[in-house]
């Protein structure tokens, strides 16, 4: 009933984006978003320093097989499944988004010391990686909920784009720092872990000092008390959840699965995640094909991160204006192009530049856009829980993809494994396009098909 009555693009249809309604607000990004971007920038320097050297550390120094590396890479990305749900639920109870996110940032920082103490023990390394991923799982949904609660619904793509751009700046600086340390210390991985810990600790301090401790979720306060523009936006966003009040089962995070709009986004993200083999494998494949010195390996993420940095904000603004479905799917088309380029006869700089360019486009068009796609269909007081469910589904799917690709590489070889991954991604794209297709109106509960970006009226004025 609600979906038909509001006419809000973002709230009604995950395949569409909310149009900009106020020229005076264009280009503005809320202070909490910038503060969280600074925290993510510093934290990403810490995490990317480690991520950049892990493939080398595992495969070349510790001598792990591709199957073992695939398992650890999947663990690194998928171990947070239940923790994400717990983190989202804890953040929503009492609006403790900052507290829960801060605990996650602190745990990830401490995990760097765990890598230092583990030495070469695979079990110790696995435990440290699990701790890092638990920290990331705990903090990600509350952080993204803070971003969405701080921003107008029609500018979510821009807000997430700005945050992801700042985050990616850290992703650029992290590998550079790792490369410089390895060069200066003659491949002393311990030095990388120590400096990474220091940056992680700085991120926690920035969060404590500059990020607001509480944002009003909206529905618990009367509309007359919401005097600020940001508060009024959060009130409307909270009311926009089809699972709020009208669906008692959606009072819990998993109850959101009963909401068709949310379920469609979740299934599409999980389907595509199950065909995403992970950056580390692509970088290893590039190193094998081009046979460059391993000391240059930590610099590979810089290429894709630079593209991501340049395109994250434009992709977010485009998603706000034209709808978030198309950029999200187009990003996965770019990833498929990267797979196919690695299968092609291309070599040398064209192969290197092409794969890194396509990988950067993939992240710019999907990472923040996915969060902007799902935020309007989840009530403000369940925002962290809803995002946690979505991120969990995607993480579990990518765990399956990483382990499956590692097994296929070990059993069949690189080319057959990559061919299978390409076919799987093509099929997943077709399925996701069907799931996110704008629904045609059908009775009172129909989803709106589309909305012109120039429509500047309030939802109540656009009701049919």
């Amino acid at each position: 009933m609600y979906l038909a009555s509001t006419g809000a693009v973002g709230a009604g249809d995950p395949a569409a984006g909310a149009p900009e309604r106020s020229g005076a607000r264009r280009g503005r990004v809320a202070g909490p978003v910038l503060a969280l971007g600074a925290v993510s920038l510093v934290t990403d320097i810490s995490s990317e320093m480690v991520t950049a050297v892990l493939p080398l550390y595992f495969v070349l120094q510790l001598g792990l097989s591709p199957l073992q590396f695939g398992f650890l890479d999947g663990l690194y990305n998928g171990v947070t499944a239940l923790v994400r749900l717990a983190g989202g639920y804890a953040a929503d109870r009492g609006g403790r988004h900052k507290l829960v996110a801060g605990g996650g940032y602190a745990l990830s920082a401490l995990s760097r010391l765990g890598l230092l103490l583990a030495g070469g023990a695979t079990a110790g390394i696995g435990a440290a990686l699990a701790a890092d991923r638990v920290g990331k799982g705990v903090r990600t949904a509350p952080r993204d909920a803070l971003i969405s609660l701080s921003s107008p619904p029609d500018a979510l793509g821009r807000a997430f784009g700005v945050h992801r751009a700042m985050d990616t700046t850290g992703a650029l600086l992290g590998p550079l720092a790792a490369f410089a340390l390895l060069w200066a210390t003659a491949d002393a991985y311990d030095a990388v872990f120590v400096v990474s810990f220091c940056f992680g600790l700085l991120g926690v301090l920035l969060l404590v000092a500059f990020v607001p401790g509480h944002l009003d979720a909206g529905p618990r306060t009367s509309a007359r008390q919401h005097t600020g523009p940001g508060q009024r936006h959060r009130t409307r966003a909270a009311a926009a959840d089809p699972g709020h009040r009208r669906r008692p089962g959606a009072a819990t995070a998993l109850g959101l699965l009963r909401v068709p709009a949310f379920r469609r986004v979740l299934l599409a993200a999980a389907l595509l995640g199950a065909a995403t083999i992970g950056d580390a494998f692509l970088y290893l494949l590039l190193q094998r094909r081009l046979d460059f010195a391993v000391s240059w390996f930590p610099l590979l993420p810089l290429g894709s991160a630079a593209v991501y940095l340049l395109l994250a904000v434009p992709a977010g603004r485009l998603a706000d204006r034209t709808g978030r479905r198309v950029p999200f799917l187009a990003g996965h088309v770019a990833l498929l192009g990267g797979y196919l380029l690695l299968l092609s006869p291309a070599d040398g700089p064209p192969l290197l530049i092409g794969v890194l360019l396509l990988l950067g486009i993939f992240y710019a068009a999907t990472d923040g856009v996915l969060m902007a796609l799902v935020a309007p269909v989840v009530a403000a007081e369940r925002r962290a829980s809803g995002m946690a469910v979505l991120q969990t589904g995607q993480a579990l799917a990518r765990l399956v993809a990483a382990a499956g690709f590692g097994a296929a590489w070990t059993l069949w070889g690189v080319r057959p494994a990559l061919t299978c991954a390409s076919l799987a991604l093509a099929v997943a794209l077709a399925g996701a396009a069907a799931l996110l297709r704008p629904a045609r109106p059908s009775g009172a509960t129909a989803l709106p098909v589309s909305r012109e970006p120039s429509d500047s009226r309030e939802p109540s004025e656009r009701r049919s």
Side-chain angles (χ1 to χ4, degrees):
M1 185 72 70
Y2 174 80
L3 295 178
S5 66
T6 62
V9 178
D13 189 356
E20 293 195 36
R21 293 198 296 267
S22 172
R25 290 192 297 270
R26 290 179 184 174
R28 278 181 156 181
V29 177
V33 176
L34 296 176
L36 286 165
V39 173
S40 293
L41 188 156
V42 174
T43 302
D44 226 42
I45 293 176
S46 170
S47 61
E48 291 302 321
M49 286 181 67
V50 174
T51 301
V53 302
L54 280 182
L56 288 178
Y57 188 56
F58 287 160
V59 177
L60 299 182
Q61 179 156 323
L62 300 183
L64 300 185
S65 70
L67 177 59
Q68 291 173 309
F69 174 71
F71 175 77
L72 285 176
D73 186 62
L75 176 70
Y76 192 66
N77 290 287
V79 75
T80 58
L82 295 178
V83 178
R84 287 177 188 267
L85 298 177
Y89 178 76
D92 284 335
R93 286 185 63 85
R96 297 176 295 184
H97 299 85
K98 176 180 176 178
L99 178 63
V100 175
Y105 280 111
L107 181 59
S108 291
L110 292 174
S111 72
R112 312 293 186 244
L113 296 181
L115 286 172
L116 184 65
L117 298 174
T122 304
I125 292 172
L129 292 180
D132 177 61
R133 293 299 92 181
V134 167
K136 183 175 177 60
V138 166
R139 72 178 185 253
T140 301
R143 180 203 67 197
D144 286 346
L146 282 170
I147 294 172
S148 68
L149 292 171
S150 303
S151 308
D154 56 357
L156 286 171
R158 183 194 307 126
F160 279 104
V162 169
H163 174 269
R164 277 8 183 212
M166 296 179 72
D167 182 86
T168 307
T169 302
L172 279 168
L173 297 176
L176 280 175
F179 176 78
L181 281 171
L182 289 178
W183 178 79
T185 61
D187 297 338
Y189 291 93
D190 289 354
V192 175
F193 299 150
V194 170
V195 175
S196 173
F197 165 73
C198 294
F199 275 105
L201 185 60
L202 177 59
V204 175
L205 296 177
L206 288 174
L207 179 77
V208 172
F210 297 108
V211 176
H214 179 77
L215 287 175
D216 188 0
R220 297 168 187 163
T221 308
S222 67
R224 294 179 183 177
Q225 292 174 304
H226 289 281
T227 57
Q231 290 175 317
R232 289 195 295 272
H233 281 299
R234 290 194 293 275
T235 303
R236 288 195 293 267
D241 178 28
H244 174 59
R245 292 181 182 175
R246 298 184 183 273
R247 294 181 184 270
T252 63
L254 293 180
L256 288 167
L257 297 178
R258 300 183 183 182
V259 181
F262 179 82
R263 188 169 62 245
R264 286 160 53 197
V265 178
L266 173 62
L267 290 175
L271 184 62
L272 291 167
T276 303
I277 64 175
D279 305 355
F281 276 120
L282 296 181
Y283 297 146
L284 284 172
L285 290 172
L286 278 174
Q287 197 277 331
R288 287 172 60 96
R289 282 283 302 272
L290 301 178
D291 196 27
F292 52 76
V294 295
S295 60
W296 294 98
F297 188 90
L299 296 182
L300 284 179
L302 292 180
S304 56
V307 177
Y308 186 7
L309 175 62
L310 291 174
L311 298 182
V313 176
R317 292 181 61 87
L318 178 66
D320 285 336
R321 290 177 177 275
T322 65
R324 292 152 192 162
R325 166 183 176 264
V326 174
F328 180 68
L329 295 174
H332 286 86
V333 172
L335 180 64
L336 177 60
Y339 292 0
L340 296 177
L341 191 57
L342 283 167
L343 287 170
S344 72
D347 201 4
L351 175 63
L352 177 66
I353 296 172
V355 170
L356 297 181
L357 176 66
L358 291 169
L359 188 59
I361 293 173
F362 162 67
Y363 279 113
T366 60
D367 190 12
V369 171
L370 177 60
M371 295 298 102
L373 183 65
V374 78
V377 301
V378 183
E381 75 275 14
R382 296 295 175 203
R383 189 66 53 80
S385 298
M387 290 183 169
V389 172
L390 177 64
Q391 293 161 1
T392 294
Q394 189 177 53
L396 288 175
R398 289 182 174 179
L399 169 61
V400 172
F405 184 78
W409 183 350
T410 302
L411 297 174
W412 304 333
V414 174
R415 193 172 185 83
L418 191 55
T419 300
C420 290
S422 301
L423 293 174
L425 183 54
V427 172
L429 268 166
L435 286 167
L436 297 178
R437 183 176 53 202
R440 295 184 179 278
S442 177
T445 59
L447 300 175
V449 177
S450 64
R451 184 73 56 191
E452 290 298 327
S454 60
D455 188 354
S456 61
R457 293 172 291 171
E458 292 294 319
S460 60
E461 297 176 270
R462 295 198 299 265
R463 293 175 184 172
S464 55

